Amino acid sequence: MLNEKMEKAFNDQINKEFYSEYLYLAMKSYFVELNLQGFVNWFDVQVQEEHAHAMGMYDYVHERGGKVELLAIDKPEVEGKTPLEVFEQTLKHEQYVTSRINALMDVADEVKDRAALSFLDWYLKEQVEEESNVGGVLASLKLIGDDKKALLMLDKDLATRTFVAPVIG
Ligand code: FEO
C-alpha cells in the first residue's frame, strides 16, 4: 500500500510527465512549421518517451494499490525563437524534471518506501540519458551557428532516432 504522501508525490510527477509530453508536442509543431522533419521526428520520439514515463508511474501507483489522480495539464509555452533556443529550453526542462525525480526520491526516503526508491532508480538513470541526449543536440546547434547547410545535415541525423518502448522499473 502506498503512503498518502508518496501517492500524492507520484500523482504530481505523473502530471509533470504528461506536461512534458505536451511541451514536446508543442515543440514538435514548431519544427513542423519550419519543415525540419528530422527535428520533428526527434520530438515525436520525445513525446512517446514522456508518455511512457507517465504511464510507467500510472501503472506503478495502481500496482501498489494506490489511487491515480489525473491533474490538469498546464498550457505549454515554446519560449525559444530559434532551434538553439528551443533546445536550451528543452535542456532546462529536463534538468527541472531531474530535480523533481530527486524530490520524489526524497519523499520515498522520508516515508521509508524502499520499493518506490528502487522503482525510481530507473527514472534517475533515464534522466541522465535524457539530459545527455538533449545536451548533445544543443552542442551541435551551438557549433552550427548560422550555417543552414550544417543545420540540414543535423536534421538528417535526427531523422534516424527511433522510439524503443522502455521496460520501466
Ligand atoms: Fe520524463 Fe524527459 O523526462
Side-chain angles (χ1 to χ4, degrees):
M1 193 71 194
L2 269 186
N3 167 288
E4 204 178 308
K5 191 169 178 182
M6 191 78 250
E7 181 183 87
K8 187 186 175 307
F10 267 117
N11 279 318
D12 283 346
Q13 189 58 31
I14 287 170
N15 178 263
K16 290 191 168 57
E17 299 292 345
F18 279 128
Y19 172 79
S20 301
E21 180 180 1
Y22 227 40
L23 176 65
Y24 294 146
L25 257 182
M27 288 178 172
K28 177 180 162 179
S29 289
Y30 167 85
F31 286 105
V32 168
E33 283 163 26
L34 288 181
N35 198 26
L36 286 170
Q37 295 304 328
F39 282 88
V40 169
N41 174 66
W42 194 93
F43 275 100
D44 195 45
V45 172
Q46 202 68 9
V47 164
Q48 293 177 76
E49 285 199 350
E50 297 306 343
H51 188 78
H53 296 169
M55 291 311 294
M57 286 187 189
Y58 173 100
D59 290 340
Y60 185 72
V61 169
H62 284 308
E63 196 183 336
R64 293 287 305 277
K67 188 172 168 49
V68 168
E69 190 185 357
L70 293 175
L71 308 168
I73 302 169
D74 288 342
K75 181 179 187 292
E77 299 289 352
V78 181
E79 291 156 7
K81 300 277 181 276
T82 63
L84 176 76
E85 286 176 8
V86 170
F87 269 84
E88 279 171 344
Q89 186 186 351
T90 303
L91 183 59
K92 224 168 95 189
H93 181 68
E94 285 303 330
Q95 287 165 343
Y96 168 69
V97 173
T98 301
S99 76
R100 297 319 304 161
I101 297 291
N102 276 316
L104 196 50
M105 291 179 99
D106 286 345
V107 174
D109 234 352
E110 187 192 323
V111 302
K112 297 194 185 336
D113 189 337
R114 292 193 172 78
L117 266 179
S118 146
F119 171 76
L120 287 167
D121 223 30
W122 183 90
Y123 283 85
L124 206 55
K125 288 188 191 117
E126 175 72 358
Q127 282 312 118
V128 172
E129 209 182 299
E130 292 267 271
E131 285 190 31
S132 163
N133 278 344
V134 178
V137 180
L138 185 56
S140 297
L141 284 167
K142 280 183 180 161
L143 275 175
I144 284 169
D146 290 331
D147 185 345
K148 294 264 187 313
K149 218 165 146 190
L151 181 67
L152 287 177
M153 276 173 68
L154 175 63
D155 187 58
K156 254 195 175 153
D157 194 32
L158 298 184
T160 61
R161 188 183 187 198
T162 52
F163 173 67
V164 180
V167 181
I168 299 176

